Amino acid sequence: MGDLIDVKAEIERLEADLKYNKGFLISVTKKLSNERFVNNAPEKVVAIEKQKQADAEAKIKALEESIANLKK
């Protein structure tokens, strides 16, 4: 597969995506750690934010694994 793609460019792309997703996760986590938001927002909105958090965590894990595999 290394012959088919520019590994360095792919790693850079994945690392940029990883950085974005980590920032996104931080913002969602801050929102969910705000008691006033959690207590006053509709339950559906809080559930959506929790799903965003879980999705971001899963994507971060997948990106980290992809980067590690490309660096081998």
Side-chain angles (χ1 to χ4, degrees):
M1 187 164 127
D3 295 337
L4 301 176
I5 62 169
D6 180 348
V7 176
K8 184 179 179 190
E10 183 65 9
I11 289 172
E12 288 174 4
R13 185 189 70 75
L14 291 173
E15 286 177 340
D17 198 15
L18 179 62
K19 182 179 178 182
Y20 169 81
N21 279 282
K22 284 184 175 182
F24 178 76
L25 178 60
I26 289 169
S27 69
V28 172
T29 302
K30 282 182 183 177
K31 192 182 289 187
L32 288 172
S33 66
N34 180 336
E35 270 188 54
R36 197 169 2 168
F37 169 76
V38 174
N39 291 335
N40 294 327
E43 195 173 310
K44 184 176 181 179
V45 172
V46 174
I48 290 169
E49 293 302 314
K50 287 181 179 179
Q51 185 60 51
K52 286 180 186 178
Q53 182 180 33
D55 292 345
E57 289 169 345
K59 181 143 187 173
I60 288 168
K61 183 178 180 192
L63 287 167
E64 288 173 339
E65 288 173 0
S66 295
I67 291 168
N69 287 333
L70 286 172
K71 288 184 175 180
K72 286 183 180 178

